[in-house]
Amino acid sequence: MGMGRRHWAIPEGYIPSWSHGPQPQMTSHETVCVLNASDDHAHVAITIYFSNREPAGPYRFTVAPRRTRHLRFNDFSDPEPIPNDTDFASVIESDIPIIVQHTRLDSRQAENALMSTIAYPADP
Amino acid sequence: MGMGRRHWAIPEGYIPSWSHGPQPQMTSHETVCVLNASDDHAHVAITIYFSNREPAGPYRFTVAPRRTRHLRFNDFSDPEPIPNDTDFASVIESDIPIIVQHTRLDSRQAENALMSTIAYPADP
Amino acid sequence: MGMGRRHWAIPEGYIPSWSHGPQPQMTSHETVCVLNASDDHAHVAITIYFSNREPAGPYRFTVAPRRTRHLRFNDFSDPEPIPNDTDFASVIESDIPIIVQHTRLDSRQAENALMSTIAYPADP
Amino acid sequence: MGMGRRHWAIPEGYIPSWSHGPQPQMTSHETVCVLNASDDHAHVAITIYFSNREPAGPYRFTVAPRRTRHLRFNDFSDPEPIPNDTDFASVIESDIPIIVQHTRLDSRQAENALMSTIAYPADP
């Protein structure tokens, strides 16, 4: 189907350092949601940018044909975890077109807060 | 008027499995808002993508001329309901141009949380 | 400067029917934020679409050169008020390019919730 | 890499005039997140638009190569601070392509609220 773009960017990123409420649904998390509506595997590489050091990554993921994956930045570990309570940004690259959305659930206080936006389609 | 696009995608989707507060306004819900600003009927087909199974649908809706419909994924039933507490994504297709926005009201805790974004216009 | 577009659409619209907290900052409201970065007056006409009746409007506003206006749908009165607790959508048209963003503050419960998105740029 | 655009606009802007919760994470703030994925310095100029006076600025920032900066409007001071509890909008200009996202954390009540959107890419 070829729906979407191969390059996406999310300037906002931040993993709250504490949570409140039942786990794991209410754990504070920062998510990148990837939709692969095609009939091929999507090989995705994510690079993380910081304010005061060189970028980390690439973090590599595969999204199967006709599947979505909602990846939590909290869970990224290879090549290194992303620190809490630190400003970051991300660039998502794929070998085939995908669609990307950014969501945060913040449960630092007793009640959770949500935000979401379609990422920026950054194909040259 | 022909305002909008015929293909839209929303990579984020999640129906919280519990709610808090007066019904039905405060029921946790995930909504796709469709605007048909034209003078013709829009025939809309929505396909739901999951992380670990083949897609569900199409779910079919009609939006009358010069009307908006705010469809709750919670209420989808034909051909099958969408399970709670499960990651999904959606692709919205129409026979004429429409405009699509995605909103979630999450009332799992005592106070509700909101998020919204214009969907991704995915015309080829 | 000519920054922006002349046609915008917001499929989501809903004015909560009650509020909680100090007034007027914490009154539940649905807002359309218009930026006119040009050196000319922008003459803006907003049409409101519903699910079960013909559209209302146009509601007319002027945005002076190099000014922003954050218009609350709650305050629309001419030609008619917009009912609470009712799904609607809006189309914003201007005689010169502007930029439009949609924001809701929902304070129906003790703690407020927020959502925002850039509107859909719908120029033909 | 040249990812992004050189002109961006955010019609919504508002700095809440009070906060609740541990500082500085829970201070109410309005943020513009800038990603510079290139190998050159980005020189960024931000102009602030109001509803009833001429624009303020430009506020000047540099974003180093392969870095992100999450700038809080609350902290802007040169040439003048941005008043609290006042509607504003912003235009972000850069000498090289960048990507811009807008986020607000509102902690006026006991529980925080969040909103976010990719800014409007406004290149002529």
Side-chain angles (χ1 to χ4, degrees):
Chain A
M1 183 183 281
M3 180 177 279
R5 306 290 282 272
R6 299 205 308 111
H7 299 80
W8 295 83
I10 305 171
E12 166 71 283
Y14 179 81
I15 302 171
S17 56
W18 72 93
S19 295
H20 191 287
Q23 308 296 322
Q25 290 97 328
M26 286 297 162
T27 305
S28 287
H29 57 263
E30 185 93 1
T31 306
V32 54
C33 299
V34 178
L35 171 59
N36 175 13
S38 82
D39 293 323
D40 298 304
H41 281 80
H43 301 94
V44 176
I46 301 179
T47 303
I48 304 295
Y49 293 82
F50 299 96
S51 63
N52 56 6
R53 49 157 283 194
E54 287 294 312
Y59 299 85
R60 299 188 182 279
F61 303 91
T62 300
V63 185
R66 301 175 301 282
R67 294 293 185 276
T68 186
R69 284 189 70 178
H70 296 192
L71 303 164
R72 291 186 179 203
F73 289 107
N74 307 40
D75 297 334
F76 285 21
S77 60
D78 181 12
E80 60 183 298
I82 301 177
N84 286 349
D85 207 15
T86 300
D87 292 337
F88 66 89
S90 51
V91 169
I92 300 93
E93 298 173 279
S94 170
D95 59 346
I96 63 169
I98 57 175
I99 302 123
V100 174
Q101 186 169 349
H102 168 231
T103 301
R104 180 185 300 163
L105 170 74
D106 183 334
S107 64
R108 285 176 293 183
Q109 296 185 310
E111 315 306 333
N112 58 314
L114 282 173
M115 67 184 204
S116 188
T117 184
I118 297 288
Y120 178 71
D123 280 13
Chain B
M1 186 183 282
M3 181 177 279
R5 308 290 282 271
R6 300 203 310 111
H7 299 80
W8 295 83
I10 305 171
E12 168 70 285
Y14 179 82
I15 302 171
S17 55
W18 73 92
S19 296
H20 191 286
Q23 308 297 322
Q25 291 96 328
M26 287 297 163
T27 305
S28 287
H29 57 262
E30 185 94 1
T31 306
V32 54
C33 300
V34 178
L35 171 60
N36 175 13
S38 82
D39 293 323
D40 297 305
H41 282 79
H43 301 94
V44 176
I46 301 180
T47 302
I48 304 295
Y49 293 82
F50 298 97
S51 62
N52 56 6
R53 51 156 283 193
E54 287 294 313
Y59 299 85
R60 299 189 183 280
F61 303 91
T62 300
V63 186
R66 300 175 302 279
R67 293 293 185 277
T68 185
R69 284 190 68 179
H70 296 191
L71 303 165
R72 291 187 179 202
F73 289 107
N74 307 39
D75 297 334
F76 285 20
S77 60
D78 181 12
E80 62 183 298
I82 302 178
N84 286 349
D85 206 14
T86 300
D87 292 337
F88 66 89
S90 52
V91 169
I92 299 95
E93 297 172 280
S94 171
D95 59 346
I96 63 169
I98 56 174
I99 302 123
V100 175
Q101 185 169 349
H102 168 232
T103 299
R104 181 185 300 163
L105 169 75
D106 183 335
S107 64
R108 287 176 291 184
Q109 296 186 310
E111 314 307 334
N112 59 316
L114 282 173
M115 67 185 204
S116 187
T117 185
I118 297 288
Y120 177 72
D123 281 14
Chain C
M1 185 183 281
M3 180 177 279
R5 308 289 282 270
R6 299 202 310 110
H7 299 79
W8 296 83
I10 305 171
E12 167 70 285
Y14 179 82
I15 302 172
S17 54
W18 73 92
S19 297
H20 192 287
Q23 308 297 322
Q25 292 96 329
M26 287 297 164
T27 304
S28 289
H29 57 262
E30 186 93 1
T31 306
V32 54
C33 300
V34 178
L35 171 59
N36 175 14
S38 82
D39 293 323
D40 298 305
H41 281 79
H43 301 94
V44 176
I46 301 179
T47 303
I48 304 294
Y49 292 81
F50 299 97
S51 62
N52 56 5
R53 50 156 283 192
E54 287 295 313
Y59 299 84
R60 300 190 182 279
F61 303 91
T62 300
V63 186
R66 299 174 303 280
R67 294 293 186 277
T68 185
R69 284 190 70 179
H70 296 192
L71 303 164
R72 292 187 178 202
F73 289 107
N74 308 39
D75 297 335
F76 284 22
S77 60
D78 180 12
E80 59 184 298
I82 302 177
N84 286 350
D85 207 13
T86 300
D87 293 337
F88 66 90
S90 52
V91 168
I92 299 93
E93 298 173 279
S94 172
D95 59 346
I96 63 168
I98 56 175
I99 302 124
V100 175
Q101 185 169 349
H102 168 231
T103 299
R104 182 185 302 162
L105 169 76
D106 183 335
S107 63
R108 287 176 290 183
Q109 297 185 309
E111 314 307 332
N112 59 315
L114 281 174
M115 66 185 204
S116 190
T117 184
I118 296 289
Y120 178 72
D123 280 13
Chain D
M1 184 184 281
M3 179 177 280
R5 307 290 282 272
R6 300 204 307 112
H7 299 80
W8 297 82
I10 305 171
E12 167 71 284
Y14 179 81
I15 301 171
S17 55
W18 72 92
S19 297
H20 191 288
Q23 309 296 324
Q25 291 96 330
M26 287 297 163
T27 304
S28 288
H29 56 264
E30 186 94 1
T31 306
V32 54
C33 299
V34 178
L35 171 59
N36 175 14
S38 82
D39 293 323
D40 297 305
H41 281 79
H43 301 93
V44 176
I46 301 179
T47 303
I48 304 294
Y49 293 81
F50 299 96
S51 63
N52 56 5
R53 51 157 283 193
E54 287 294 312
Y59 299 84
R60 299 188 182 280
F61 303 91
T62 300
V63 186
R66 299 175 303 281
R67 293 293 185 278
T68 185
R69 285 190 70 179
H70 296 192
L71 303 164
R72 292 186 178 202
F73 290 107
N74 308 39
D75 297 334
F76 285 21
S77 60
D78 180 14
E80 59 183 299
I82 301 177
N84 286 349
D85 207 14
T86 300
D87 293 336
F88 66 89
S90 51
V91 168
I92 300 94
E93 298 172 279
S94 172
D95 58 346
I96 62 168
I98 58 176
I99 303 125
V100 174
Q101 186 169 351
H102 168 231
T103 299
R104 180 186 303 162
L105 170 75
D106 183 335
S107 64
R108 287 176 291 183
Q109 296 185 309
E111 315 306 333
N112 60 313
L114 282 174
M115 67 184 205
S116 189
T117 185
I118 296 288
Y120 177 71
D123 281 12

